[in-house]
Amino acid sequence: MNSFSLEKSFYSRASMYSFIVILFLFITMFLGTNQFKHIDLALSGYMVAAAICFIGLVYRIVAFAVRPATRRVDRRSRKNLKDKTRKRRSWKAIVVTLFENIVLQKFIFKRGLYRGIQHMLVAYGCIGSFAITFGLVFGWFHFELVDPNHYAVSVLGLKPFVMDVEGWIAFMIYNGLNWTAAMCLIGLSMMFYRRIKDRDLQVTQRFEFDLVPLFILLAVTLTGLALTMSAVLFHGALYMTISMIHQLTVITLLIYFPFGKLFHFPLRPLATAVPLNYQVGEDIPMHNCKRCGTSYAAQEQIEDVVSILKDNSFDLQLEDGSYLAEYCWDCRRKLRAMRQMNMLNPRTKDPYAPIDTNTGISMPGFSKKKA
C-alpha cells in the first residue's frame, strides 16, 4: 500500500501550497472575525485582491524554488543546518544576516546613504501598510466598543488591552496608515528625484519595470492621504469618490505585486542562505585555484557553482577536465584574455590551449566542442 502524499492530491506543487495558504487565511479569518460576525463588507474588494496576491506569491515562489540553482542551495542549507559541527554557526549566520540585511538594510546603505534612506523609508512604509491592510481585510484584528470612552483591541479573538478612545495610543493606531503613507511619500519623492537627476540611471532604467511600480505606490500613497485630508480638513467632501479611487489603486498594487519588480521583497530574506552555506572560517574547507593555488572561496561554494552550471548545460569545462569556476578571478581573466588574443600554445595540438608568456608554462584552454 502506497504511503499517503498530500502533493498527489493536487495537480502541482504550486496548487497544493496555494490551497494551504487560502486555508490558512480562511481559518485565521474565522478566528479573527468571531466566526465571520465582524466582516466589513466595504473591504471585500481588498479581500479578493489580497487573496489573489497571496496565490500569485505562492506561484512565483514555487516557480523560483524549482530552479536548479535554488534547489541546490536549498539542499545545501538543509544539510548545513543538520550538521552538528556547523549548526550553531549556521543559525548565528541566519540571525546576523536577517538583522543586518532585512532590519538595517546594510546591503543598500553600502551603495550610498541617500539610497539607503530612500529604500528604508519605502520598505518600512510598505511593510507597515501591508500589515495593517491585511490585518483589517482578513479580520485578524478589529476594535470593539467597551463603553463610550474605551475600545477593546481584538486580535484573533483575543483582547490583549483596552485603550482610551482619546488617548495617544488610540491616536497612533488610528493614524497607522497615515504614518506609513508619509514614510512612503518621502521615500518615493527621493527615488523620483534621483531618477530625474542621475543621468547614468536614466540610461539603464526601463519605464515599465522600474517606474511603473513607483507610480502605483505613489498613487496608493496620495489617494490614501487624500482620504484623511477629506475627512479632517474638508468635512468629508468627495470622500466616497476618493475612497473608490484609492480602492482601485490598492487592488492594482496587490495584483501587480507578485508579478513585477516588487516581488524582490518576499525573496530578499533568502539572502540568508549565502552566509549560511558559503561562510568562511577556520573549520570551513577552502578551495585552492587550480593554477596559482590561491584560496579564494569555500569548497562547498565552488562545488555548487559547478553543479548548477552543469544543470543549466553551461559547464565551462576546460580541456583538462577542470572547470572555469575552479580558477581564481585573476586566472580566469588571464585564460579569457589569452584565448581572445589568440595566444596559441605551440606545444599542444589543441589550438585553444594558451601558454603563459611570462613563465612559459602550458595552461589549460577551452576545449572546442563539436557541433
Side-chain angles (χ1 to χ4, degrees):
M1 183 176 179
N2 295 331
S3 59
F4 173 78
S5 175
L6 181 62
E7 189 173 348
K8 294 179 180 179
S9 302
F10 299 89
Y11 282 109
S12 65
R13 185 175 301 177
S15 62
M16 179 187 69
Y17 286 120
S18 297
F19 168 78
I20 294 174
V21 168
I22 295 300
L23 182 62
F24 170 80
L25 294 177
F26 179 84
I27 294 174
T28 55
M29 190 174 178
F30 179 82
L31 297 175
T33 58
N34 191 15
Q35 302 178 17
F36 305 115
K37 294 178 182 179
H38 297 284
I39 293 179
D40 190 349
L41 295 179
L43 302 178
S44 57
Y46 299 104
M47 187 189 306
V48 174
I52 295 174
C53 176
F54 277 105
I55 294 174
L57 286 173
V58 170
Y59 171 79
R60 289 295 311 278
I61 292 174
V62 170
F64 177 79
V66 298
R67 295 177 178 178
T70 314
R71 289 202 311 265
R72 182 72 182 186
V73 173
D74 176 60
R75 287 196 297 267
R76 180 69 69 181
S77 300
R78 286 188 276 110
K79 178 181 178 181
N80 288 338
L81 287 174
K82 294 178 181 178
D83 189 347
K84 294 182 179 180
T85 60
R86 300 184 57 176
K87 190 174 183 178
R88 184 176 180 181
R89 178 195 289 266
S90 298
W91 281 110
K92 181 181 178 181
I94 292 176
V95 173
V96 171
T97 307
L98 282 174
F99 181 74
E100 292 184 348
N101 283 357
I102 307 303
V103 179
L104 301 181
Q105 302 191 15
K106 286 187 176 181
F107 70 98
I108 291 294
F109 279 95
K110 290 179 181 179
R111 306 175 190 177
L113 179 62
Y114 187 90
R115 292 187 65 179
I117 294 175
Q118 69 177 23
H119 190 275
M120 179 170 284
L121 287 171
V122 173
Y124 278 107
C126 289
I127 291 172
S129 298
F130 279 129
I132 296 172
T133 300
F134 291 148
L136 292 173
V137 166
F138 294 114
W140 295 339
F141 66 85
H142 62 272
F143 307 99
E144 296 181 5
L145 185 64
V146 177
D147 56 57
N149 296 319
H150 295 88
Y151 271 124
V153 179
S154 177
V155 181
L156 292 178
L158 304 177
K159 298 178 181 178
F161 65 93
V162 177
M163 64 182 183
D164 188 345
V165 295
E166 300 293 339
W168 67 271
I169 296 179
F171 177 78
M172 295 297 294
I173 293 177
Y174 296 157
N175 292 279
L177 286 173
N178 290 328
W179 309 135
T180 57
M183 293 174 63
C184 283
L185 183 59
I186 297 173
L188 289 170
S189 300
M190 295 174 68
M191 287 184 175
F192 278 113
Y193 178 78
R194 174 172 169 265
R195 292 183 179 277
I196 292 173
K197 298 293 291 184
D198 193 334
R199 294 186 177 181
D200 293 336
L201 187 60
Q202 293 175 9
V203 175
T204 58
Q205 70 183 5
R206 291 179 292 164
F207 176 81
E208 65 279 5
F209 185 74
D210 297 301
L211 295 179
V212 166
L214 298 183
F215 282 121
I216 296 176
L217 287 174
L218 183 63
V220 172
T221 301
L222 292 178
T223 53
L225 291 174
L227 282 173
T228 302
M229 294 179 62
S230 173
V232 176
L233 301 179
F234 302 105
H235 307 287
L238 299 176
Y239 188 88
M240 292 304 299
T241 301
I242 299 174
S243 177
M244 292 301 297
I245 296 175
H246 179 65
Q247 184 171 176
L248 178 62
T249 59
V250 173
I251 291 174
T252 302
L253 173 63
L254 291 174
I255 295 176
Y256 169 82
F257 184 82
F259 307 104
K261 187 176 183 179
L262 298 177
F263 179 65
H264 75 277
F265 168 70
L267 289 185
R268 187 65 205 180
L270 296 180
T272 56
V274 176
L276 165 64
N277 298 326
Y278 311 127
Q279 52 193 324
V280 176
E282 295 180 357
D283 58 337
I284 305 298
M286 297 295 293
H287 178 81
N288 299 325
C289 175
K290 287 284 187 180
R291 177 175 176 269
C292 65
T294 302
S295 298
Y296 64 96
Q299 180 64 34
E300 293 177 348
Q301 182 176 2
I302 302 303
E303 293 174 359
D304 288 348
V305 169
V306 172
S307 175
I308 292 168
L309 291 175
K310 277 185 177 180
D311 292 339
N312 288 276
S313 302
F314 192 67
D315 53 16
L316 294 179
Q317 188 173 13
L318 308 181
E319 64 167 348
D320 64 345
S322 62
Y323 296 90
L324 191 63
E326 296 177 312
Y327 294 83
C328 68
W329 296 279
D330 290 337
C331 291
R332 291 180 204 176
R333 285 193 291 269
K334 291 178 181 179
L335 283 170
R336 289 173 180 148
M338 282 190 241
R339 183 184 180 189
Q340 291 170 356
M341 292 185 296
N342 199 25
M343 297 176 64
L344 307 182
N345 187 345
R347 302 179 186 178
T348 65
K349 297 181 180 180
D350 186 356
Y352 288 87
I355 185 173
D356 190 334
T357 55
N358 295 325
T359 63
I361 300 175
S362 299
M363 296 175 56
F366 291 94
S367 60
K368 186 177 180 181
K369 298 182 179 181
K370 297 181 180 180

